[in-house]
Amino acid sequence: MANDLYATALQALEHGHGAEAVDFLSRALKAHDLDRDDKAQIRCALAEAWLLQDDLQQAAAALGPEPVGRDRLNPARLSDLWRMHGRIAVAGGEASRGIAFLSRALRLAERAHDSRAIGLAHYELGICYRQVGDTAIVREHITSAASALHAAGDRRHLAMVHSLSGIALAQEGRLDEAMSALRQAERLAVMVEAGDVLGTVCGNQANVALMQHRHEQALGLAERSVELQEQAGTPHGLGIALASLGQICVRLGNLKRAEAVLHRALDVRSPLQFMRETTGAVYDSLAQIYLIRGEHDEVSRSLERARQAYGETRASGWYQWSVRVLDARAALRRGDPARALSLCGEVLDAPDAPAAYALHAELTAIEALLAVPRNAEAQTRLDAVATRIQPGAMSGTWGEFLRLRGRLHAAASRPTEAYHDFGQSVSVFELLGERYQAALGYLELGRLAAAAGARSRATRYLADARRLLEALGAAETAEADAVLSELGTAATGGYVGVDVDGDDALVRRLVDASAMPALLEREGATTLLEACDGTAAALIVELPGGRIRVLSAAGCDADGARTLGAAALRGNSAADPGFAVEPVGRDADGGRHAVVAVPRPLSQAARQRFRTLCAVLRQGFELCQARERTPELPAGAIERQLEPLLPGFVCASAAMQRVADQIQRMQGNDLTVLITGESGTGKDLVARAIHAGSLRRASMFLPYNCTSATRELADSQLFGHRRGSFTGAHADQLGVMQTAVGGTLFLDEVGDLPIDVQPKLLRFLEQGEVLPVGETRPQRVDVRVVAATNADLEQRVSAGKFREDLFYRLSVIRIHVPPLRERREEIPHLSTFFLREACERLGKPGVQLSPETLDIFDTFAWPGNVRQLRNEVQRAVALAPAGGVVTADILSPSLGAGAGVDTVVASRGRARKTTLAAAVEKLEREMIENALERNGGNISASARSLGLTRRGLYLKMERLQIGPDLAVV
């Protein structure tokens, strides 16, 4: 009865249904026939169910006290207990204590050879180290967790690992890889119907899409995340989803909706540390809204609440930088540039300030210097910061940089350069969807035009600025009104824009815009319109059938641009002076053209300017295409280091990780590969992984064993034969070479290929031609060859049994697969994977491997390598009853007899892989931790049992970084 309830509860937990799991587990815990291990297992699951509902108090009560002195428990159960205590500590804001507990859980899981427990401990440690900002350690834990959880078949937590990987990659700026990891997480979450995990993944996807400037996609993903979290009923998940949606709405300028969503997020109650950090982020976003509106008192209150929510813990330190930079911006908007400079200086002087926030602080400081004004110093700092900004990233930082550079140009009486910088800043922010920042750019353009006396242009730009600012409720609306009111009632004849001396600035504007195709398209149309003083301009692509696709337009809408393009392509610009048209290279779908409508015929100088700018545009598009031209990789290849190359391809050791890295580096080429290694190491699986990662993956993978054929048979089977070519050849027959056309031929045990057949294989590898038996003309065949051998081919070459030229032709790339005894850390994961496989194949669910069996597996020499391990697990499952335990007495006699000897051999082999100092430190750590556990953390008693003084024990604990939370004074 208890087992059935527990199994049902596990299904509920996999789907994220915490309340349902609590009901089943509470009933299971009341059963009278439970032993200590069963109770510990149920209590851990019950604590997890309460954590899904953000109830820390109930989770702690279900788990009970820390399992100090409970060594008689199964190490796997003890690992689960310490892991759950670690989770509760981390959720309560005690990251250091949580890391200590989780590290202990990992050691116990490794001692128990429990793949799932190992994977979960690594995953939780990855979460902890992400919070404290140690990305290198995060990546190590993520990789280890993925290998272990794949072997255990835990797809729910594997989805969470991929989601965590996506977050880590996004923080490193690797956005495409981050989105790839999150898509894999989404697939896994959908497979197990885990709505809460899917909601978290969608929220993370929304944040990455926002960083990629895909605002509509980000908004849709954030709304879906909120919906999924509402259905899941996880408070902290809903709070995080609402906070993300609010921040996206702020970026898009939908401030009313943003404010409502953010206040709703504040109504979510959860005691988890994650929620406290989310509350800080919500107040941070609210401060941004109030800053746009000019409500400075509300800005100050929101920033103070954000600080209080973040606290002073190391885990929240990363978020504090956002508050500091926002505080500096608020000081600047209040008219206090001196304080803004001081706050920015604090950020810039801090050695641990994140690069992104340091850059924002630098730009804010430059804006403060312009307000003082200290223009020379501002120019110097802007020139210095230019090298740290990548226009290709198309970030708001680039748009802000352009606006500041335009202000410096305007202050130095360089209106043409200022005009182009302001204009490009507007284009950047409009592409990013940031309406408030675009409005500030229009306001700068309006001021510049007003100062030059260009009333019509000033009116247009100021009207655009006012429309956006008024919709946002921004404080700068009054400023736009003031500039408009100061304009004269009649034009003064002043001019701002492009003049004859401004061609260099126009070219520079297009060169800067070539950082991104979308920006170049927008800037191209605007620049051509202004250069030719036209009424409308467009960049179009001529599609098959006379259809037109509009890339960008200025002075008209998309329909007007389409009409203009059609007229220009049908007409003759030399005969019709009303427009000018020029080719600007080719798009993927057809020829690209620039078209400008003009009110009067272009002069010779103006037409030459138009052609020059079109040439610059063409070069800019070619540059964009060159940047985007990357080698084609198979779908999902970016994140392959976490996903196994094939089911069962475990990479939990450094040796196999090197093999996987070699396979990944070969993706995209067709070079011949020779795989070496002992029999049973998995050379066939490596060959299949090479094929799966190649451009031929959609075609056939055909294995051929070279050991089983005589010379005549091998010749016919490999290369085919014609009817009548030998006795028994009653019909034409294709060889495996022709059968595998377009795919991969795997020549297993190629060292046993008859010497007389080897020249024909060499000819194929060199010429790509085969000569079937009885045929007189060679035939060209497109096949990739991957070969494998367990023999020493160099020795066979020396003995005259293998051709030297063929050996070197096969060895273009060599991959050595290490024996299992050299990668023992993979034995638990492989055993778990083969156990699941055998249970499904033999229809015996619930069979488990006992700790004693796993100990024997870990210490056995495995002369037959992975194949022998797989066969042993299958044999054991076949002999064990359904739901039973594989004990040492049903293992093969060879394993039982050799276990003692192999234990010594294995331990000696492992000892040789470490230094004496490391071994002594490991022994000291284990003895001290065991003493503390036995004595309930009492320092005096532990010191006496170890033969140390209290001070001596304290010094060793400090040196070995054994947490003080394990000790009681």
Side-chain angles (χ1 to χ4, degrees):
M1 178 66 178
N3 288 337
D4 293 340
L5 289 170
Y6 179 71
T8 306
L10 289 185
Q11 292 179 358
L13 286 175
E14 186 176 46
H15 299 321
H17 302 158
E20 184 180 339
V22 165
D23 177 53
F24 290 117
L25 291 167
S26 299
R27 289 156 56 192
L29 200 57
K30 295 176 182 177
H32 299 293
D33 56 344
L34 299 176
D35 59 22
R36 287 193 302 268
D37 285 346
D38 290 337
K39 288 181 179 178
Q41 194 171 36
I42 293 174
R43 286 186 179 280
C44 287
L46 187 56
E48 184 168 355
W50 284 118
L51 280 179
L52 280 175
Q53 302 171 74
D54 288 1
D55 197 327
L56 283 181
Q57 187 174 357
Q58 289 281 15
L63 198 58
E66 295 165 12
V68 177
R70 297 167 70 178
D71 295 338
R72 285 186 293 177
L73 277 176
N74 182 322
R77 301 290 76 75
L78 204 53
S79 171
D80 289 340
L81 288 169
W82 281 115
R83 178 174 58 82
M84 292 309 300
H85 277 289
R87 284 188 61 185
I88 291 173
V90 172
E94 299 178 274
S96 298
R97 186 179 177 84
I99 288 174
F101 289 166
L102 291 168
S103 299
R104 181 175 294 186
L106 178 58
R107 290 195 295 272
L108 287 163
E110 290 171 341
R111 188 188 305 172
H113 312 296
D114 189 319
S115 293
R116 185 173 184 272
I118 291 171
L120 292 178
H122 275 299
Y123 167 67
E124 298 294 347
L125 282 166
I127 291 177
C128 291
Y129 282 108
R130 186 187 75 83
Q131 290 179 0
V132 300
D134 200 328
T135 55
I137 298 180
V138 171
R139 175 54 56 182
E140 292 177 11
H141 283 299
I142 287 174
T143 305
S144 299
S147 298
L149 293 171
H150 165 69
D154 188 341
R155 289 182 292 193
R156 173 185 171 86
H157 286 97
L158 197 55
M160 295 163 72
V161 168
H162 280 284
S163 183
L164 178 60
S165 175
I167 296 171
L169 290 166
Q171 288 182 337
E172 295 172 13
R174 298 158 62 184
L175 301 182
D176 289 337
E177 295 173 77
M179 193 58 88
S180 174
L182 291 169
R183 280 194 293 268
Q184 178 62 13
E186 180 183 7
R187 285 192 289 270
L188 290 165
V190 169
M191 288 171 67
V192 296
E193 299 179 1
D196 59 327
V197 177
L198 186 58
T200 300
V201 171
C202 287
N204 291 335
Q205 287 177 329
N207 290 326
V208 174
L210 186 65
M211 297 169 73
Q212 293 176 314
H213 317 304
R214 300 172 181 171
H215 295 92
E216 293 303 321
Q217 181 186 6
L219 184 62
L221 286 166
E223 290 171 340
R224 186 185 180 205
S225 176
V226 170
E227 181 181 352
L228 288 167
Q229 295 292 2
E230 286 175 333
Q231 294 172 358
T234 306
H236 82 271
L238 178 59
I240 293 172
L242 289 168
S244 296
L245 177 59
Q247 178 59 33
I248 291 170
C249 290
V250 172
R251 292 282 294 274
L252 295 178
N254 192 344
L255 301 189
K256 289 184 179 179
R257 185 184 183 192
E259 189 173 12
V261 168
L262 292 169
H263 280 295
R264 185 181 166 201
L266 292 176
D267 292 335
V268 177
R269 293 289 178 263
S270 171
L272 271 61
Q273 173 68 16
F274 302 127
M275 198 57 214
R276 291 200 287 273
E277 294 170 0
T278 301
T279 300
V282 168
Y283 280 119
D284 189 308
S285 299
L286 286 170
Q288 295 176 43
I289 294 174
Y290 299 137
L291 186 60
I292 291 172
R293 294 174 178 169
E295 300 173 9
H296 301 302
D297 291 340
E298 290 294 336
V299 172
S300 300
R301 276 193 287 271
S302 294
L303 290 176
E304 182 56 34
R305 288 171 179 167
R307 291 189 191 92
Q308 292 171 359
Y310 287 144
E312 299 299 331
T313 64
R314 187 181 174 192
S316 296
W318 192 83
Y319 301 98
Q320 291 280 9
W321 297 105
S322 173
V323 175
R324 295 188 190 187
V325 174
L326 196 54
D327 203 3
R329 290 185 180 274
L332 186 58
R333 295 293 185 272
R334 285 196 305 268
D336 192 353
R339 175 163 172 74
L341 279 170
S342 174
L343 291 169
C344 290
E346 292 176 7
V347 174
L348 295 170
D349 292 339
D352 56 340
Y357 289 119
L359 187 56
H360 284 302
E362 186 67 66
L363 292 174
T364 303
I366 292 169
E367 189 173 0
L369 289 171
L370 284 169
V372 174
R374 287 153 54 183
N375 293 352
E377 186 178 348
Q379 183 68 64
T380 301
R381 293 179 71 162
L382 191 72
D383 291 341
V385 84
T387 58
R388 295 158 52 191
I389 300 177
Q390 297 295 327
M394 265 303 288
S395 65
T397 307
W398 173 241
E400 190 174 351
F401 170 85
L402 288 169
R403 189 168 65 236
L404 291 174
R405 192 170 70 180
R407 289 182 60 181
L408 282 166
H409 282 315
S413 300
R414 295 189 294 269
T416 300
E417 289 83 352
Y419 178 79
H420 292 314
D421 278 342
F422 289 147
Q424 191 164 120
S425 174
V426 169
S427 295
V428 168
F429 285 120
E430 286 184 339
L431 280 173
L432 296 178
E434 297 188 23
R435 297 163 61 201
Y436 174 67
Q437 298 292 343
L440 295 183
Y442 278 124
L443 186 57
E444 294 290 356
L445 282 168
R447 284 200 195 99
L448 185 69
R455 183 178 180 277
S456 60
R457 284 180 180 264
T459 302
R460 186 172 81 242
Y461 291 136
L462 290 170
D464 288 339
R466 193 187 185 288
R467 173 177 50 81
L468 291 171
L469 293 169
E470 186 177 30
L472 295 169
E476 288 84 359
T477 306
E479 192 174 344
D481 287 336
V483 180
L484 273 169
S485 65
E486 292 172 2
L487 289 175
T489 57
T492 63
Y495 182 76
V496 63
V498 180
D499 55 29
V500 176
D501 297 327
D503 285 359
D504 288 344
L506 283 173
V507 170
R508 191 197 71 202
R509 182 173 176 178
L510 291 178
V511 170
D512 288 346
S514 65
M516 186 177 181
L519 180 60
L520 184 60
E521 291 165 3
R522 181 181 289 265
E523 286 290 274
T526 302
T527 301
L528 292 176
L529 179 71
E530 295 175 356
C532 299
D533 198 19
T535 56
L539 290 177
I540 60 172
V541 174
E542 185 178 11
L543 302 174
R547 294 177 296 113
I548 289 175
R549 176 161 58 88
V550 177
L551 297 176
S552 64
C556 62
D557 58 14
D559 291 336
R562 199 172 289 109
T563 301
L564 173 63
L569 293 177
R570 285 196 307 268
N572 183 344
S573 60
D576 186 351
F579 60 82
V581 60
E582 189 76 16
V584 285
R586 290 190 63 81
D587 187 87
D589 300 325
R592 190 188 301 109
H593 301 271
V595 184
V596 176
V598 291
R600 64 186 67 84
L602 291 177
S603 66
Q604 188 64 32
R607 187 168 293 277
Q608 183 58 44
R609 174 186 290 175
F610 174 67
R611 289 172 179 165
T612 299
L613 293 176
C614 286
V616 175
L617 264 176
R618 182 169 55 252
Q619 292 172 356
F621 282 118
E622 290 172 357
L623 182 61
C624 291
Q625 290 172 349
R627 287 198 194 100
E628 294 175 348
R629 198 175 297 126
T630 55
E632 183 180 354
L633 291 176
I638 293 175
E639 191 57 20
R640 278 273 171 81
Q641 64 268 26
L642 290 189
E643 273 299 284
L645 300 175
L646 286 174
F649 197 107
V650 175
C651 293
S653 66
M656 284 305 292
Q657 188 58 53
R658 285 193 293 272
V659 172
D661 289 343
Q662 282 184 282
I663 294 172
Q664 288 178 333
R665 285 197 293 269
M666 286 190 297
Q667 292 174 355
N669 68 58
D670 265 355
L671 296 176
T672 305
V673 182
L674 177 64
I675 306 168
T676 61
E678 296 178 10
S679 179
T681 52
K683 298 186 292 294
D684 178 90
L685 196 62
V686 170
R688 292 179 184 275
I690 292 171
H691 173 73
S694 73
L695 300 178
R696 298 175 180 266
R697 60 190 176 277
S699 300
M700 179 182 294
F701 175 86
L702 184 60
Y704 177 79
N705 194 303
C706 301
T707 304
S708 59
T710 62
R711 184 257 181 225
E712 293 79 10
L713 193 57
D715 196 348
S716 173
Q717 288 178 341
L718 279 172
F719 306 107
H721 63 256
R722 295 293 302 275
R723 177 183 177 185
S725 57
F726 55 85
T727 303
H730 301 300
D732 291 351
Q733 179 176 306
L734 295 176
V736 292
M737 290 285 188
Q738 295 101 318
T739 305
V741 165
T744 301
L745 176 64
F746 174 48
L747 298 177
D748 197 8
E749 303 304 343
V750 71
D752 295 331
L753 189 69
I755 190 74
D756 294 339
V757 180
Q758 292 177 22
K760 296 186 74 171
L761 177 59
L762 176 64
R763 176 179 177 81
F764 166 72
L765 293 175
E766 291 181 339
Q767 305 296 330
E769 297 177 343
V770 298
L771 187 65
V773 178
E775 183 61 81
T776 58
R777 291 184 177 182
Q779 301 173 4
R780 294 200 65 81
V781 177
D782 175 28
V783 175
R784 181 186 191 177
V785 171
V786 176
T789 181
N790 62 7
D792 185 345
L793 286 189
E794 287 92 339
Q795 190 276 332
R796 285 182 175 267
V797 169
S798 300
K801 297 180 180 179
F802 200 85
R803 291 180 62 100
E804 184 176 14
D805 49 2
L806 177 59
F807 169 70
Y808 288 118
R809 192 65 185 79
L810 285 171
S811 303
V812 176
I813 295 177
R814 295 185 70 171
I815 296 178
H816 178 70
V817 184
L820 187 56
R821 62 182 174 274
E822 294 181 7
R823 43 185 172 118
R824 290 186 176 275
E825 54 266 57
E826 295 183 351
I827 291 175
H829 302 329
L830 288 168
S831 301
T832 302
F833 180 81
F834 293 147
L835 178 68
R836 286 196 300 114
E837 186 182 62
C839 288
E840 292 175 5
R841 180 180 176 184
L842 300 176
K844 287 191 174 183
V847 176
Q848 297 181 356
L849 300 175
S850 70
E852 294 78 15
T853 298
L854 287 167
D855 285 339
I856 292 172
F857 284 179
D858 186 47
T859 56
F860 188 64
W862 298 111
N865 292 294
V866 179
R867 182 184 293 121
Q868 183 183 8
L869 174 62
R870 182 179 187 178
N871 291 340
E872 185 62 39
V873 172
Q874 288 184 345
R875 176 185 179 278
V877 172
L879 295 176
V885 177
V886 175
T887 55
D889 59 308
I890 64 173
L891 298 178
S892 299
S894 59
L895 268 72
V901 175
D902 290 321
T903 299
V904 177
V905 173
S907 63
R908 287 177 180 172
R910 284 195 291 271
R912 285 194 294 269
K913 295 179 183 178
T914 187
T915 64
L916 179 61
V920 171
E921 179 178 316
K922 181 179 179 182
L923 179 60
E924 282 188 321
R925 180 187 297 278
E926 289 179 354
M927 290 183 68
I928 291 173
E929 288 179 346
N930 289 335
L932 288 169
E933 288 180 8
R934 285 195 309 272
N935 294 286
N938 186 286
I939 290 292
S940 299
S942 300
R944 280 195 301 271
S945 68
L946 292 168
L948 298 171
T949 63
R950 284 169 54 90
R951 176 169 173 74
L953 179 55
Y954 271 124
L955 289 173
K956 284 184 178 291
M957 289 175 64
E958 183 178 355
R959 175 171 61 82
L960 297 172
Q961 295 183 345
I962 297 176
D965 49 314
L966 303 182
V968 177
V969 178

